[in-house]
Amino acid sequence: MPTMAIQTNYAKFNWFPSGLPVYLNLVPAILQLVVVQSNIFVVAVFLGKKMYFGINVILIGMAIADAASVILLMISYWFALVLHNHSSGSFTENQVHFLCVTYKYGTSVSITFNMVSIWLMVCLGVVKFLLVRFPLQAKNMLTTGRLLFATFLVYVTAILFTFPHYVTDNYDMSAKIYYGKPKDHDIFYCALRRKKEDDFVMYLENDDRLVRSICVHLIPIVVLLCTNSFFCYKLVRKNGIVDPSPKFIRSVKIVCALTFIYLLTEIPFTVFFCLQYYVGVTEKPISFLITNVFYISFTLYVLRFLNYLSNFWVYLVLNKKFRQACCSMFCRRRI
């Protein structure tokens, strides 16, 4: 059997754009903490006996995915933030090892659960579209059990889709630490072991960006733009909705609000991924993209964390039962 050819490359990582004030670096860290706490609370509310039914199953899946997407990144980010503010020189070997491992698997986990969240949003839009367009047939077809199975299927598909991220680019602990320029004390370099071109490569950077841009960004955006346009049209012409009850109208407004916020935060990510693919294929660098890549990435992740956080407030404002469940959890009378 031919031996597996492996080469070691150094990947440069920098959590924080140079010259950014400390209080701005704290913004993602605080958002991550609030995202995890608020989404765990959403799961707890929707798992209640009075809330666990129908579309709420998809909302539970979204909340779990949003929280899971940032947990490991949060650990890595907080660790890097402490080093960034207290380190007077280059990182030690143990610090670099911890950052490389958590960054690699944190990024992989984030990609997986972000895909889950996106496609559950698509499921939510499609399910609500069916309930608006074909109310009688959809109510009988879209049972809680079937929606739970669809949510589970999205999780399995996302894990299989992103599996190559977990088994490639393994951190090489035996490699010497490469520091780069002395002034770059806030930058760490991970030694990555990757298979050479002559062997089977599970992870191709440009191909991965193309597939991810199409499957995880472009297709969901097109579907959600179509469904949201349909909902807005129906809400303007309320006589076009078969079930004009205030409860049903509110549920449509919730899906509209969630979809609008998602599109507002994810469309910039889609443009960024498409530009990265264009640069990788054509090898024509875009000066603005290269010069400001850290600032762009920083802004995009802040937008994504705001998207993860917004669901709780949408439920709180537009969902009466959710407000009542929150009050019952915090304001229970003691006998």
Side-chain angles (χ1 to χ4, degrees):
M1 294 179 61
T3 57
M4 187 67 70
I6 299 290
Q7 60 182 0
T8 298
N9 301 298
Y10 283 92
K12 175 182 177 181
F13 295 105
N14 184 0
W15 275 109
F16 317 105
S18 58
L20 206 63
V22 175
Y23 65 86
L24 286 181
N25 289 328
L26 279 170
V27 170
I30 295 172
L31 283 176
Q32 288 169 342
L33 284 173
V34 180
V35 163
V36 173
Q37 293 174 350
S38 62
N39 280 283
I40 290 175
F41 180 74
V42 168
V43 173
V45 171
F46 280 128
L47 283 177
K49 292 182 180 180
K50 295 182 180 180
M51 300 291 289
Y52 185 75
F53 62 90
I55 283 181
N56 290 351
V57 172
I58 299 178
L59 300 181
I60 292 171
M62 286 175 56
I64 294 173
D66 292 347
S69 181
V70 302
I71 286 178
L72 205 56
L73 280 179
M74 179 180 67
I75 296 172
S76 182
Y77 191 94
W78 273 97
F79 189 83
L81 182 63
V82 171
L83 294 180
H84 177 72
N85 293 322
H86 294 89
S87 178
S88 58
S90 300
F91 297 148
T92 66
E93 293 185 8
N94 291 332
Q95 290 169 342
V96 171
H97 172 64
F98 181 82
L99 280 171
C100 289
V101 172
T102 54
Y103 187 88
K104 170 187 163 50
Y105 289 106
T107 303
S108 300
V109 168
S110 181
I111 292 172
T112 299
F113 288 101
N114 176 247
M115 182 179 176
V116 171
S117 180
I118 289 171
W119 276 101
L120 286 179
M121 178 67 71
V122 173
C123 288
L124 184 66
V126 172
V127 167
K128 185 55 70 175
F129 168 80
L130 293 174
L131 288 170
V132 174
R133 185 67 179 83
F134 311 103
L136 298 178
Q137 300 91 325
K139 284 182 179 179
N140 296 326
M141 182 178 64
L142 301 173
T143 62
T144 300
R146 288 176 179 175
L147 292 177
L148 181 61
F149 176 76
T151 303
F152 175 76
L153 191 62
V154 169
Y155 269 84
V156 173
T157 304
I159 292 171
L160 294 176
F161 184 88
T162 57
F163 180 73
H165 290 272
Y166 294 90
V167 296
T168 57
D169 289 350
N170 295 313
Y171 177 60
D172 186 1
M173 292 182 62
S174 62
K176 293 182 179 180
I177 294 178
Y178 171 68
Y179 291 113
K181 298 178 181 179
K183 65 178 181 179
D184 294 337
H185 66 275
D186 57 347
I187 296 174
F188 61 97
Y189 294 82
C190 296
L192 304 176
R193 296 172 61 82
R194 179 180 289 184
K195 301 171 186 177
K196 288 186 178 179
E197 296 178 357
D198 296 333
D199 296 299
F200 176 73
V201 180
M202 295 187 69
Y203 177 84
L204 298 175
E205 192 170 359
N206 287 330
D207 292 344
D208 175 79
R209 286 198 182 113
L210 176 62
V211 174
R212 187 178 172 193
S213 296
I214 294 174
C215 297
V216 185
H217 294 282
L218 292 177
I219 294 177
I221 283 175
V222 171
V223 173
L224 290 173
L225 280 173
C226 293
T227 57
N228 220 38
S229 300
F230 174 79
F231 295 146
C232 292
Y233 173 75
K234 287 296 185 180
L235 287 173
V236 172
R237 294 182 60 205
K238 291 185 180 179
N239 59 344
I241 298 179
V242 177
D243 182 2
S245 64
K247 177 182 177 182
F248 189 79
I249 296 296
R250 279 197 303 269
S251 68
V252 176
K253 288 181 178 179
I254 290 173
V255 176
C256 280
L258 294 176
T259 305
F260 176 78
I261 295 171
Y262 162 78
L263 292 173
L264 197 65
T265 56
E266 286 296 331
I267 286 178
F269 247 108
T270 304
V271 174
F272 181 66
F273 266 93
C274 291
L275 289 175
Q276 280 188 319
Y277 175 74
Y278 172 80
V279 170
V281 172
T282 61
E283 298 183 354
K284 295 179 180 179
I286 301 176
S287 58
F288 175 81
L289 193 66
I290 295 175
T291 305
N292 301 285
V293 64
F294 287 125
Y295 295 98
I296 294 172
S297 300
F298 183 87
T299 304
L300 291 177
Y301 274 104
V302 168
L303 286 175
R304 176 165 288 177
F305 296 150
L306 288 174
N307 176 34
Y308 291 159
L309 182 60
S310 64
N311 296 354
F312 169 79
W313 296 103
V314 171
Y315 305 148
L316 196 64
V317 172
L318 296 178
N319 193 328
K320 184 178 180 180
K321 285 188 175 181
F322 185 84
R323 289 197 301 271
Q324 291 174 345
C326 291
C327 291
S328 65
M329 288 184 70
F330 287 104
C331 307
R332 289 177 178 174
R333 294 180 179 179
R334 296 182 180 180
I335 301 175

